Amino acid sequence: MTSLATGCAAESAADSADSAKADSGKAGSGKSPSATPTSSAPGAQIPRGDAGAQVAAAAAYRKWGLEPLAAPPAPPATKPVTLPAADGTVPVISDIPTKEKIVFLTFDDGAEKDPEFVTMMKELKIPFTMFLTDAAIRSDYGYFKELQGLGAGVQNHTLTHPNLRTLGAAAQKQEICGQQTKLKAEYGTTPRLMRPPYGNWDENTRAAAASCGAEAIVLWRESMQIKNMQYQRGDKKLHPGDVILAHFRGPSELKGTTMTEMTANMLRHIQEQGFTVARLEDYL
């Protein structure tokens, strides 16, 4: 398998393209899908029937230069992707089968530990999943514990972020199993999902993931850069169920842009295309 998009590489040429809407700092004018939220969990952004909560949510979005995202639909009673797979194999997933106009946000690595990002996610209640690398997070496990407390999933992105396809079976197993153990010790749960650095994997990766207790390898369909997204499909559009890749990066890697500014740009792209954000773990 070839590497998908840029993985954990630096900013791409996508950010030199025309991005007037993202540059303007204004939310998109496209209408988001409406849905009735069922709980106060991350993603229930605008509770209907609660005027006070609606006002507070709108104010929180305005603070970050955004218009409120619609609440996602209620999670399906039966997940569209059943894990573990009946045949015992570890599936490789880039999107979730659904007709709903929802996408799933994932943030990789963990090098940037911006306290403003915690504040942003706390105020906006956006669901997201973290794929964490121990070499990047070990200086401050507590930062990601705070995000976990907001409802963010903690998943496996290896111990040291190698290109797994350059490693043998035993070394791949050490990278994946070792991170399973680290994350269980620090965050209390064993990850069910694993993402290979750079999107590079082979059959040894799948075998190692299975032996370490991971139930799926999760890749992506779009990757967020600074102002723009990279799309794998030729139509350069979001599709229902797409997994979006972003990173814990700061101004040194984002050409002076903060992680919260990058995240706001990403949310604008999502809303402009009529989508909202759901929780990945509710669907697989």
Side-chain angles (χ1 to χ4, degrees):
M1 176 183 174
T2 58
S3 176
L4 297 176
T6 57
C8 302
E11 179 207 9
S12 76
D15 276 310
S16 63
D18 180 22
S19 183
K21 291 181 181 178
D23 287 337
S24 70
K26 296 180 181 179
S29 58
K31 293 183 180 180
S32 297
S34 61
T36 302
T38 58
S39 73
S40 60
Q45 291 99 335
I46 304 295
R48 290 190 172 184
D50 187 335
Q54 290 178 358
V55 170
Y61 273 83
R62 281 197 303 272
K63 171 183 172 180
W64 298 100
L66 298 165
E67 292 181 358
L69 290 174
T78 302
K79 293 182 179 182
V81 179
T82 301
L83 298 177
D87 62 2
T89 62
V90 172
V92 181
I93 296 166
S94 299
D95 50 57
I96 301 296
T98 179
K99 295 181 180 179
E100 302 280 0
K101 293 199 75 175
I102 55 175
V103 293
F104 304 94
L105 300 188
T106 63
F107 289 85
D108 277 14
D109 304 343
E112 179 68 11
K113 303 167 184 68
D114 184 352
E116 284 298 301
F117 180 72
V118 179
T119 301
M120 183 185 206
M121 294 294 101
K122 184 181 297 183
E123 293 177 350
L124 300 186
K125 297 179 171 61
I126 301 292
F128 65 99
T129 299
M130 305 182 290
F131 286 88
L132 300 177
T133 295
D134 190 65
I137 70 173
R138 65 171 65 127
S139 64
D140 189 356
Y141 290 121
Y143 175 84
F144 303 95
K145 188 165 290 186
E146 192 169 1
L147 291 171
Q148 182 190 30
L150 301 179
V154 175
Q155 306 296 348
N156 189 329
H157 197 43
T158 72
L159 282 172
T160 67
H161 205 276
N163 178 350
L164 292 174
R165 289 173 59 187
T166 68
L167 303 181
Q172 289 201 39
K173 184 173 180 180
Q174 181 178 0
E175 282 284 340
I176 298 169
C177 288
Q179 184 65 339
Q180 292 285 87
T181 300
K182 288 274 190 181
L183 293 175
K184 173 64 164 63
E186 294 296 333
Y187 302 104
T189 59
T190 301
R192 298 170 51 245
L193 311 176
M194 180 266 167
R195 172 172 285 162
Y198 316 106
N200 288 341
W201 62 277
D202 57 21
E203 288 306 315
N204 285 332
T205 314
R206 295 179 72 180
S211 69
C212 299
E215 297 176 354
I217 291 172
V218 178
L219 303 179
W220 59 88
R221 283 294 186 180
E222 293 81 30
S223 61
M224 184 63 197
Q225 305 301 310
I226 298 174
K227 298 173 184 174
N228 297 303
M229 286 187 185
Q230 281 189 330
Y231 297 87
Q232 291 180 9
R233 299 183 184 91
D235 63 5
K236 298 188 181 302
K237 294 179 180 179
L238 297 173
H239 290 243
D242 279 0
V243 177
I244 299 176
L245 166 67
H247 291 88
F248 287 95
R249 288 180 178 155
S252 63
E253 292 185 285
L254 299 178
K255 296 187 176 180
T257 300
T258 65
M259 186 171 176
T260 56
E261 290 168 338
M262 178 271 292
T263 301
N265 289 336
M266 177 167 57
L267 294 175
R268 290 186 190 104
H269 282 293
I270 292 167
Q271 188 177 59
E272 286 165 1
Q273 295 185 52
F275 285 78
T276 193
V277 181
R279 184 175 181 268
L280 179 63
E281 287 85 350
D282 288 339
Y283 286 75
L284 52 73

